[in-house]
Amino acid sequence: MSLLKGRPNGHILCVGHLCVDIISLCSTYPEEDQKVGTTTRRNRCIDQRWQRGGNAANNCTVLGLLGSKPYFCGTIAASHERSFIMDDFAKYDVNTEYAVVHEGCECPASCVILSEATGSRTIIHCNKDLPELAVDEFKKVNLSNFSWIHFEGRNVSNIREIIELVREYNSSHSESQPIIISVEIEKAKPEVEVLVPLADVIFVARDYAAYKGYTSMDDAIANIQLLAMPEATVICPWGEMGASACTGKKAIVRSPVFSPPKVIDTLGAGDTFIAATIYSLFEGKSLQESIRFGCKIAGAKVGVRGWEPLRDIITNIMHNFHAHS
Ligand code: ADP
Ligand code: FRU
């Protein structure tokens, strides 16, 4: 299956959240009321850093590393963190023309604890007052620039209207290739399901599957398919189990996990999988090849600290990707 006929001319746009991640890599996950320092004995803080975060922002980082020059659309606070965020977007070749700046707000942030012992990532997120993207703000996007728009499933009532705008655009431009619409269903909230029937491609995260009580990738895919358009593609990554996917009534395709020598940093594994899978589908690869590529890049990501070391790894992987085109 190829969603797009031929290599599209337009770009990929990711719509969603942007924040700062304050990340502590600890030798083990701390106990309540424990003090963890760089030289403490029972547990040690090995590294601490700031990173640009948010699902859509992370999708853009990976798409940028893959060389696809993505666009980000979402809100950003005019706070002192803004220059850090904007410089970092530039480092990954992400276009921020459609980032909407809000004065007088604080930058959303996550405190993240990475456990070296288990590879877990514990995220405590807080958005005090930064507004979500408004429908009118999205209307400034020049849709003719894009071939694929990926939406983080949040801010559901606005995103629903925004997707409907994109669908209307597609109907009124039937002479050109329609913009592919994908959504990520991750947040444990009942209302996100409203977005499922509006998308061509649906990524169902394991967090959402757990919230709904889905017991496996197949179970999650079957349940989401009940809500999706008949020909929609449903893709489900599942941590160490790899990923599975299915289009309409076709057979389920699967990818194994690609384990790095050591799992070091799982923050953004799902975001990496989504970005790499979209990239591959966008390049005209099959669903099977694309989820495999998603797992390969996500497997490489969890083996390194943060994003930057992924740059060289991706350069090597891309050599083979294009060689088999
Ligand atoms: P999330 O970040 O949303 O929790 P998942 O844990 O489902 O995402 O992981 C997404 C993808 O990342 C998986 O399909 C897999 O390919 C890869 N991945 C996640 N954890 C590991 C791991 N421990 N080893 C190798 N790959 C992993
Ligand atoms: C990872 C992530 C982090 C951010 C959090 C927001 O998937 O996007 O970068 O802090 O999730 O929910």
Side-chain angles (χ1 to χ4, degrees), residues 17 19 21 53-55 58 110 112 123 125 186-187 267-268 271:
H17 196 50
C19 64
D21 290 343
N55 294 13
N58 292 339
S110 292
V112 180
I123 303 173
H125 182 69
E186 181 204 45
K187 305 276 174 288
L267 182 66
D271 305 331

Side-chain angles (χ1 to χ4, degrees), residues 157-216:
S157 59
N158 290 4
I159 295 299
R160 179 190 186 162
E161 273 190 59
I162 289 172
I163 296 181
E164 267 152 14
L165 288 176
V166 180
R167 300 206 80 88
E168 277 163 30
Y169 174 89
N170 279 346
S171 311
S172 58
H173 291 76
S174 50
E175 72 292 348
S176 48
Q177 168 120 234
I179 299 169
I180 301 283
I181 297 165
S182 59
V183 295
E184 181 201 28
I185 304 296
E186 181 204 45
K187 305 276 174 288
K189 294 178 183 174
E191 67 268 24
V192 289
E193 254 174 31
V194 163
L195 303 176
V196 171
L198 302 174
D200 304 301
V201 179
I202 302 123
F203 291 91
V204 198
R206 197 163 46 151
D207 281 356
Y208 186 76
Y211 158 70
K212 291 293 283 186
Y214 303 150
T215 51
S216 63

Side-chain angles (χ1 to χ4, degrees), residues 21 25 48 78 116 128 133-135 151-152 154 175 187 200 223 235 253 259 263 269 276 281-282 313 319-320 322:
D21 290 343
L25 172 63
Q48 202 167 57
E116 196 191 39
K128 289 188 193 162
L133 184 73
V135 179
F151 294 91
E152 200 181 318
R154 51 185 300 119
E175 72 292 348
K187 305 276 174 288
D200 304 301
N223 277 288
I235 304 178
V253 295
S259 300
V263 175
L281 289 170
F282 195 80
I313 301 176
H319 189 71
N320 290 330
H322 289 304

Side-chain angles (χ1 to χ4, degrees), residues 85-144:
I85 287 173
M86 287 309 202
D87 289 352
D88 194 67
F89 264 136
K91 208 165 128 189
Y92 292 89
D93 224 356
V94 180
N95 187 309
T96 51
E97 182 181 333
Y98 298 122
V100 182
V101 181
H102 283 265
E103 300 291 336
C105 301
E106 290 188 41
C107 181
S110 292
C111 289
V112 180
I113 298 171
L114 300 176
S115 161
E116 196 191 39
T118 64
S120 70
R121 90 299 182 251
T122 303
I123 303 173
I124 303 167
H125 182 69
C126 182
N127 178 8
K128 289 188 193 162
D129 55 8
L130 180 68
E132 298 281 358
L133 184 73
V135 179
D136 281 345
E137 288 163 345
F138 184 84
K139 283 184 181 157
K140 298 186 181 118
V141 172
N142 178 1
L143 292 177
S144 68

